[in-house]
Amino acid sequence: MKFRFLLALFFSFIFSEIVAQNGVIMKGKLLDSLTSEPLAFASISVDAKNSAASNKGTISDDKGTFEIVGLKKDKYLIKVEYVGYKTKYIEVEVLNQTTRLDLGAISLSPLSQLLEAITVNGLKPDVIATIEKQVYKAEQFEVAKGGTATDVLRNIPSVVVNAEGEIMVRGSKGFLVMVNGKPSQVDVATLLSQIPANSIDKIEMITAPSAKYDADGKAGIINIVTKRGINDGFSITSNLQYGLPRIDTYYNESEPKRYGADAIINYRKGNWDASFSVNYLKNDIAGRRIGDVNTTINNIFTSFPSEGERSYKRENYGVRFASSYKINKNNELSAGIYLGERTQYRTANIYYRNTKTDLLNKKIVGVSDYYNPNLVLKSGDFKVFNLDYSHTFKNTSTLSLSGLYEKANLDGYTKNRNLNSKDFRDTLQYTFNTGNNPLNAVRLKADYEKTIGIGKLALGYQYRTQSQEGSFTYQEKSGSFEPFVINPAFSADISVLNRIHALYSQYAGKYKKMEFSAGLRYENAFREFSDNKGSEPAILKLSNLFPSANLLYDLGKDSRLKVAYSRRVQRSTNNELNPYPEREHSETLEQGDPNIRPEFIGIYEAGLTKDLKKTSLYLNVYTQQITNIVNRVNSVRNDSILNRIYTNAGKARLVGSEFGITYSPIKKLKVFFGGNVYNLKIKGTLFDKSIAVDSRGWVYSVNSNISYQVLPTLSTQFNISYLSARNTAQGSDSRFYQPNFSVKKSFKDNKINLTLQWQNAAFGKMPVNQQRITTFGTNFYTTTNYIQETNIVMVNLSFNLNQSTKKVKLPNSEFGEREY
């Protein structure tokens, strides 16, 4: 009843604002003169020159746009101010009181020292800091061209991608991905693999998000902004990619294949703006793994080292269409469609030697060799439809309504066979897991904004629901000619329902040299897990507040100070909730926990940015206080199988600092060096408090690139990403690094670009693209070295006609890819 009352009050407030006002309406959009980034929450004041009319003012919204109403016939002086930029003055005259003044795009220049550094060197800064985010232009990362969004993110400080393709921000795998401001709760690695690097305009890192954003993501938000044409007419961007044959030997069953193509077509004319994009990518990777596992049960020590192939065959495509129509000066309608499909086969053909030793007399009591071909298929097809409407009232307040529907079919299997190593026709044991998990999801939201005083008040309501009806079957047999038998304890039909209602309010503005925003978000969440076994459903009901605050202060002399706070939540995927096991490997049985609780995180952050003549730098310090931290941990199931489960492991504290410096010693050379260092402490218990957890350690990462403009049409870039060893709840992950090199040649006034890339560059026995993951307990120890392919050579050919420089709001899968 209380929630319904608040909802009714919210909508009553919105529609009570539909009040007409007299006078001319003046509008415009503020942009950074160097990067064309919109400038949010800038201050605009209007002074009448001749009449005694009172002065008017407003601030720009998060898209840089503004409107001022009630202007009479007169001459006006417009003053535009923004922290870190030169103040701009514009004179206009209102001649006819029935007209509507459109000032169009208004460009503001950065303060003199930063502008001089960029003008002299002909190079843009690597990062632009605003009140709540750091913005990285994707075009500066040549080594990522032809790849995916994952390849772009590898270059950003505080973002690391390990040997298993897991992406971490500030040491955490939990973060929210948005595409053009639309939240996405999909599996991060899958979503990013669907976005071509060539289609990305910029990456926005929002590490302490405000209340208007979804509260999901303990490390914050990554917003990917894609390109679109800015002029009337057609704009076309396309890219072709081809991978040369493998250089190094990994003794895999088949050769990796790498090729792809993507294209974006934009059309803009009058009130219409439409975009169409298509992409296809075949991106296999060769590799091996070397591991060792041992267990101790009843004084029998069992050791089973292993070695063999571990490779991936990956293929995906996507088609997106989006269109917007400006009905009139106050109303705009937009819609989008996304259709996508992706398939991944993970092959792990491993040889094992199982040796049992009696610890009492130190004698070997058994030795067996076997071969384990293991094949995992993950496939998914996605259909997403969205519709958005925005209305601007005569008092310049705005109302936005949007809806999204997604339907996805997630499918896959795991084939795990133990064969006689001397005769592969002799099956010792065979496990076959299948899973079908269709998904339906809906998201609805309403947002209202109005200028009040020196800032803007934003109010919003958001609703989302996600339901999945999955069927999981665990079949097994012993012997080549035996039939499969379903294991009823490991098979079930399950149902998962997630439903969230959210209300938020936020006030953001500018006062003298200070920009600020403060907000509060309320979420009412419901989660239910049930199965066809007749057991009681696992239900979780939560009501939580998520406050946020951001402050940016101009210290003068091109220096800015930022402080921020945000409370976040990390919710579990359905895979982490499913308690019915899957035989992931010969030695691994993996399952979830339907009673797992979400993590709650408090983020505190402070930062400083400084611009010099030939250098720009930033430094952030931060801490995360985490409760109910979730870890994937191991326990012994039997002498040759470990049980891997997702579970809450207690509390964690993370304290760290990230930095970035751009330096241009000479005109054609630019060096960027960024890094992150943090201390992670995990303290708690596992398995009903039977095992204590007390893990702590320092971790650091480095992302650096060097760019050199050899000729006006020829450039090179070297990049390296490095992640140090890191502690986990039950062990540690080793260091991991990837060097990359690229050469780009431009033709036809930069309309055609040919790029040669050398990825995962390794000389001799350099352990590039390798990572060892180790866990241990009182009665087990496991370590695996994942060795991924090195010295990959790619050729990319890009075409740009009427180059794209403005973001396009293409739809993306929000729920299905997360579960994929």
Side-chain angles (χ1 to χ4, degrees):
M1 185 64 70
K2 180 180 178 181
F3 179 77
R4 293 178 181 176
F5 171 75
L6 291 172
L7 191 59
L9 186 65
F10 166 71
F11 281 108
S12 298
F13 178 81
I14 290 178
F15 292 108
S16 69
E17 291 294 325
I18 308 177
V19 180
Q21 294 189 15
N22 296 323
V24 174
I25 297 176
M26 180 178 67
K27 68 175 184 177
K29 183 169 185 176
L30 305 181
L31 302 174
D32 184 297
S33 63
L34 298 173
T35 66
S36 297
E37 303 290 338
L39 300 179
F41 309 120
S43 174
I44 303 101
S45 61
V46 179
D47 297 335
K49 282 194 170 184
N50 300 322
S51 68
S54 59
N55 297 337
K56 294 182 177 292
T58 187
I59 64 170
S60 59
D61 61 18
D62 58 355
K63 299 176 183 177
T65 59
F66 68 90
E67 284 194 0
I68 297 178
V69 301
L71 299 180
K72 307 298 182 181
K73 184 177 180 180
D74 203 340
K75 291 182 178 180
Y76 294 90
L77 179 65
I78 302 169
K79 181 181 179 182
V80 183
E81 296 178 286
Y82 194 73
V83 173
Y85 290 77
K86 290 182 177 180
T87 300
K88 189 160 191 172
Y89 295 90
I90 304 171
E91 288 190 355
V92 298
E93 183 176 4
V94 176
L95 299 175
N96 187 337
Q97 203 162 305
T98 63
T99 63
R100 181 181 178 93
L101 269 179
D102 187 352
L103 302 181
I106 302 172
S107 297
L108 298 188
S109 300
L111 292 173
S112 58
Q113 291 181 351
L114 175 60
L115 179 61
E116 182 182 359
I118 297 168
T119 304
V120 170
N121 293 312
L123 298 168
K124 296 180 181 179
D126 284 76
V127 58
I128 300 169
T130 68
I131 184 172
E132 66 178 9
K133 57 192 173 187
Q134 293 176 163
V135 183
Y136 299 84
K137 297 292 289 184
E139 64 185 16
Q140 63 191 314
F141 303 127
E142 293 293 339
V143 293
K145 293 295 177 64
T148 66
T150 302
D151 300 302
V152 177
L153 287 176
R154 293 180 196 272
N155 298 274
I156 295 176
S158 299
V159 178
V160 294
V161 185
N162 69 10
E164 287 294 274
E166 296 176 325
I167 303 170
M168 292 179 286
V169 178
R170 290 181 172 178
S172 171
K173 299 174 187 176
F175 55 92
L176 179 65
V177 172
M178 300 195 302
V179 179
N180 297 317
K182 289 187 175 295
S184 178
Q185 297 179 348
V186 304
D187 172 77
V188 172
T190 304
L191 170 62
L192 297 178
S193 70
Q194 275 292 98
I195 304 175
N198 281 22
S199 71
I200 300 175
D201 179 35
K202 60 188 176 183
I203 301 291
E204 297 177 346
M205 303 296 297
I206 310 172
T207 52
S210 60
K212 68 179 180 180
Y213 296 109
D214 280 8
D216 298 64
K218 66 180 179 183
I221 296 171
I222 296 178
N223 184 36
I224 298 172
V225 181
T226 53
K227 299 175 181 176
R228 97 179 285 174
I230 195 169
N231 300 317
D232 281 356
F234 281 100
S235 170
I236 302 174
T237 301
S238 63
N239 180 73
L240 300 175
Q241 179 188 61
Y242 181 74
L244 300 185
R246 169 190 53 77
I247 295 176
D248 297 324
T249 302
Y250 295 90
Y251 305 101
N252 290 175
E253 273 189 349
S254 59
E255 293 296 314
K257 298 178 181 179
R258 289 179 279 266
Y259 48 84
D262 57 78
I264 303 175
I265 301 174
N266 302 288
Y267 175 74
R268 185 179 182 186
K269 193 71 174 178
N271 293 339
W272 284 98
D273 198 342
S275 298
F276 174 80
S277 75
V278 60
N279 68 280
Y280 172 83
L281 183 63
K282 173 73 171 175
N283 185 27
D284 300 345
I285 188 166
R288 295 184 67 76
R289 54 158 272 192
I290 302 173
D292 192 7
V293 182
N294 63 65
T295 62
T296 303
I297 301 177
N298 298 327
N299 293 314
I300 299 297
F301 177 83
T302 303
S303 174
F304 39 106
S306 61
E307 182 175 358
E309 171 183 353
R310 194 173 196 273
S311 62
Y312 288 91
K313 295 186 180 301
R314 300 178 292 206
E315 187 174 26
N316 64 69
Y317 75 84
V319 178
R320 292 176 171 91
F321 175 76
S323 179
S324 64
Y325 177 69
K326 198 168 184 62
I327 302 170
N328 53 43
K329 62 185 180 182
N330 293 328
N331 299 280
E332 184 172 349
L333 190 66
S334 61
I337 299 173
Y338 163 55
L339 305 175
E341 183 172 321
R342 61 209 50 138
T343 302
Q344 174 181 286
Y345 289 93
R346 195 270 291 139
T347 299
N349 295 335
I350 311 295
Y351 286 89
Y352 289 84
R353 162 155 284 199
N354 187 303
T355 304
K356 299 181 185 298
T357 303
D358 190 330
L359 294 178
L360 297 179
N361 56 27
K362 307 299 182 184
K363 290 184 178 181
I364 296 177
V365 296
V367 177
S368 63
D369 295 321
Y370 55 94
Y371 173 63
N372 176 251
N374 180 280
L375 181 65
V376 177
L377 166 65
K378 291 176 64 177
S379 66
D381 61 81
F382 309 88
K383 300 177 179 66
V384 182
F385 308 90
N386 70 277
L387 183 66
D388 302 277
Y389 168 76
S390 63
H391 175 77
T392 302
F393 299 106
K394 292 184 178 180
N395 64 353
T396 72
S397 61
T398 60
L399 173 65
S400 299
L401 305 173
S402 68
L404 178 145
Y405 171 72
E406 177 171 353
K407 183 177 180 62
N409 185 44
L410 309 175
D411 204 355
Y413 63 72
T414 300
K415 295 180 179 181
N416 187 80
R417 295 180 293 162
N418 289 335
L419 309 179
N420 186 329
S421 60
K422 296 179 180 180
D423 184 358
F424 292 170
R425 295 171 299 177
D426 182 10
T427 300
L428 306 177
Q429 194 270 340
Y430 190 173
T431 301
F432 183 39
N433 297 124
T434 59
N436 181 262
N437 203 14
L439 172 150
N440 288 277
V442 174
R443 170 184 285 270
L444 303 172
K445 58 181 269 186
D447 301 286
Y448 176 78
E449 290 186 352
K450 181 182 180 181
T451 300
I452 298 177
I454 60 173
K456 258 190 182 174
L457 176 67
L459 300 172
Y461 165 72
Q462 297 173 0
Y463 167 80
R464 69 179 190 259
T465 181
Q466 172 187 340
S467 63
Q468 287 184 256
E469 305 288 337
S471 179
F472 299 90
T473 304
Y474 188 106
Q475 303 178 72
E476 54 191 347
K477 69 175 183 176
S478 299
S480 302
F481 305 104
E482 297 296 323
F484 275 113
V485 177
I486 294 178
N487 186 329
F490 291 178
S491 304
D493 295 335
I494 68 169
S495 175
V496 181
L497 174 65
N498 283 280
R499 185 172 58 241
I500 299 174
H501 295 275
L503 288 170
Y504 78 87
S505 64
Q506 178 175 302
Y507 186 70
K510 179 178 180 293
Y511 179 72
K512 295 184 178 179
K513 294 185 176 183
M514 179 178 67
E515 290 181 65
F516 64 88
S517 71
L520 182 64
R521 185 182 187 88
Y522 167 76
E523 289 194 351
N524 179 275
F526 174 85
R527 185 187 78 194
E528 181 182 47
F529 178 94
S530 59
D531 58 34
N532 64 343
K533 299 290 188 176
S535 54
E536 284 293 320
I539 296 176
L540 180 66
K541 297 180 180 179
L542 295 172
S543 291
N544 298 100
L545 294 174
F546 298 93
S548 67
N550 290 269
L551 179 69
L552 181 67
Y553 187 79
D554 187 358
L555 300 172
K557 297 183 179 180
D558 299 329
S559 299
R560 293 168 293 282
L561 176 67
K562 177 179 73 173
V563 293
Y565 168 77
S566 180
R567 187 170 189 250
R568 315 291 297 161
V569 62
Q570 182 66 35
R571 309 181 204 276
S572 297
T573 65
N574 289 356
N575 182 54
E576 295 168 348
L577 296 173
N578 185 4
Y580 294 97
E582 177 184 4
R583 190 74 175 270
E584 191 71 16
H585 289 285
S586 175
E587 75 275 24
T588 305
L589 202 65
E590 184 170 295
Q591 65 187 111
D593 178 4
N595 295 305
I596 199 169
R597 296 186 65 83
E599 301 177 45
F600 288 94
I601 308 96
I603 300 175
Y604 303 82
E605 181 177 316
L608 178 69
T609 61
K610 176 70 176 178
D611 301 317
L612 303 171
K613 185 174 182 179
K614 292 186 177 183
T615 306
S616 64
L617 58 91
Y618 69 88
L619 173 68
N620 295 324
V621 293
Y622 60 89
T623 181
Q624 297 178 10
Q625 306 294 329
I626 308 167
T627 58
N628 303 327
I629 187 170
V630 175
N631 270 246
R632 192 176 67 174
V633 297
N634 293 320
S635 62
V636 175
R637 181 172 185 85
N638 60 37
D639 61 355
S640 59
I641 298 179
L642 296 179
N643 199 49
R644 181 183 296 164
I645 189 169
Y646 294 92
T647 186
N648 296 113
K651 295 183 178 181
R653 184 268 299 141
L654 189 148
V655 178
S657 176
E658 63 186 4
F659 63 90
I661 181 170
T662 304
Y663 179 58
S664 299
I666 59 176
K667 182 178 180 180
K668 296 183 178 181
L669 179 65
K670 181 175 71 170
V671 179
F672 175 75
F673 185 80
N676 178 46
V677 57
Y678 64 89
N679 180 269
L680 174 62
K681 177 183 178 182
I682 305 174
K683 191 173 182 64
T685 59
L686 300 173
F687 309 121
D688 295 326
K689 300 182 179 181
S690 62
I691 299 176
V693 175
D694 190 356
S695 173
R696 66 190 69 194
W698 286 94
V699 185
Y700 65 91
S701 62
V702 173
N703 294 76
S704 180
N705 63 69
I706 302 174
S707 303
Y708 184 70
Q709 194 78 32
V710 183
L711 299 169
T713 60
L714 181 66
S715 62
T716 65
Q717 186 176 88
F718 172 77
N719 158 270
I720 186 168
S721 61
Y722 180 92
L723 172 64
S724 73
R726 60 188 294 266
N727 59 307
T728 61
Q730 283 186 303
S732 63
D733 299 345
S734 74
R735 57 91 193 99
F736 177 75
Y737 67 100
Q738 293 176 314
N740 303 282
F741 182 77
S742 70
V743 179
K744 184 180 77 171
K745 173 65 177 176
S746 301
F747 306 90
K748 300 290 185 180
D749 296 327
N750 211 38
K751 291 182 178 180
I752 300 177
N753 293 285
L754 180 65
T755 305
L756 181 67
Q757 298 171 325
W758 180 14
Q759 299 175 353
N760 304 331
F763 297 94
K765 295 183 178 181
M766 291 173 58
V768 171
N769 211 19
Q770 297 185 26
Q771 187 173 40
R772 179 175 293 278
I773 297 177
T774 303
T775 62
F776 51 85
T778 57
N779 58 349
F780 77 92
Y781 174 88
T782 173
T783 182
T784 304
N785 190 26
Y786 296 97
I787 305 169
Q788 300 284 4
E789 189 175 357
T790 59
N791 296 319
I792 298 173
V793 180
M794 306 292 297
V795 179
N796 294 276
L797 184 62
S798 301
F799 304 88
N800 298 289
L801 302 177
N802 297 328
Q803 293 186 15
S804 301
T805 57
K806 187 179 178 183
K807 71 179 180 181
V808 53
K809 294 184 177 179
L810 294 173
N812 62 284
S813 170
E814 174 168 349
F815 300 94
E817 294 186 52
R818 176 174 185 251
E819 297 305 330
Y820 175 90

